[in-house]
Amino acid sequence: MKLIIQAGIVILMIASLNNAAKCALEASGEKAPIARGENLIAGAAVNDSAGSSDLTLIIQLKIDGKIVVDEGHKCTAIQPEENIPSDKDPTGWTQPKFDDKDWEKGEYGVGYGDNDDNLVIGKGDLAMVYSRAVFEVKSIRSNSKVELGADFDDGCVIWINGVEVARESNTDIPDEPEWDSWTDKGSGHSHEASKTDPPTYEFVELDVKVIGNPFAVEPADKLAASWGEIKAGY
């Protein structure tokens, strides 16, 4: 708000209600599925609009105070020009078993512009850069303290083992992000990365769902019924 003094009268002017809402990292409300052993975190760095000069996503993940993902963590990345793996499954790339062997390899952060990215990838006429990273967990409990941090420009969506756990609030990114989803389609959204060293993260705390190995492959010849069920049919 501001004060305007006119003819000896102080007029209190209240800031317009049309000002853009504050943007911040926000938990999805879904429990983060985490296993003992290997897990996958995936992130979409999202541009605000075509022609953006920079894009950044750096992720930090802490479990019971131990950092398991941070700047410099090995990752893969791609700037998509179509939905991956398909229009019917535009977020299938966030699943642990998705094959990313042809993606670029490097370290977090990912993006381009401003010289704050370890893996430089992307250009401003496309909406997103996708990234994936495997992380190791030695111990996990349903009451473990899980803190997810992100430093990003312009927006981001983050998944753990295929479940969306956080995204930036007050953007125009749809519920199921697609390769050409921008953060600003009329909302006036804008967000800048910290550009600090080390990064300045925005944090959310996540509830946990303890799961089995997310990379496990079901046997191709698995019986449709148990031997006990077969005998019961006679």
Side-chain angles (χ1 to χ4, degrees):
M1 64 180 64
K2 62 180 179 179
L3 294 176
I4 298 178
I5 301 177
Q6 183 177 7
I9 300 174
V10 178
I11 304 172
L12 181 64
M13 302 297 292
I14 300 175
S16 170
L17 295 177
N18 292 326
N19 284 347
K22 179 177 174 59
C23 299
L25 190 66
E26 184 175 70
S28 69
E30 296 289 336
K31 291 185 176 182
I34 299 176
R36 182 178 179 182
E38 289 190 336
N39 296 266
L40 182 97
I41 193 164
V46 191
N47 266 320
D48 55 2
S49 58
S52 177
S53 63
D54 57 353
L55 181 74
T56 295
L57 178 60
I58 313 170
I59 296 174
Q60 185 182 90
L61 184 65
K62 293 192 289 187
I63 299 179
D64 292 327
K66 181 179 180 180
I67 296 175
V68 295
V69 178
D70 202 356
E71 183 181 31
H73 194 94
K74 290 182 179 179
C75 67
T76 59
I78 191 172
Q79 185 166 51
E81 298 187 26
E82 60 184 357
N83 284 321
I84 299 175
S86 68
D87 288 344
K88 291 183 178 180
D89 187 17
T91 58
W93 62 274
T94 69
Q95 296 294 330
K97 298 175 191 177
F98 175 80
D99 185 358
D100 62 357
K101 68 177 183 298
D102 294 329
W103 290 23
E104 292 194 37
K105 297 174 177 60
E107 300 175 349
Y108 275 120
V110 300
Y112 62 89
D114 290 340
N115 298 314
D116 57 355
D117 305 296
N118 289 323
L119 175 50
V120 178
I121 181 173
K123 52 186 179 179
D125 58 344
L126 294 174
M128 295 199 181
V129 166
Y130 295 163
S131 60
R132 292 165 47 94
V134 174
F135 64 95
E136 184 84 15
V137 175
K138 292 185 177 180
S139 177
I140 188 70
R141 308 179 310 277
S142 60
N143 63 347
S144 286
K145 184 176 183 180
V146 176
E147 299 166 273
L148 173 66
D151 189 10
F152 55 93
D153 180 343
D154 294 285
C156 68
V157 185
I158 300 173
W159 296 258
I160 293 179
N161 290 322
V163 173
E164 183 183 324
V165 293
R167 66 166 60 196
E168 186 185 11
S169 62
N170 298 310
T171 73
D172 292 325
I173 304 170
D175 290 343
E176 188 169 37
E178 299 192 347
W179 73 277
D180 57 353
S181 301
W182 306 85
T183 69
D184 180 10
K185 290 188 174 181
S187 65
H189 164 271
S190 181
H191 186 283
E192 294 293 323
S194 70
K195 301 180 179 67
T196 59
D197 186 14
T200 302
Y201 296 106
E202 296 179 22
F203 279 99
V204 293
E205 193 165 330
L206 306 176
D207 292 329
V208 178
K209 177 183 178 181
V210 179
I211 62 170
N213 180 4
F215 294 93
V217 177
E218 291 290 335
D221 57 350
K222 183 178 179 180
L223 291 175
S226 68
W227 176 238
E229 291 170 330
I230 294 173
K231 290 194 296 182
Y234 287 92

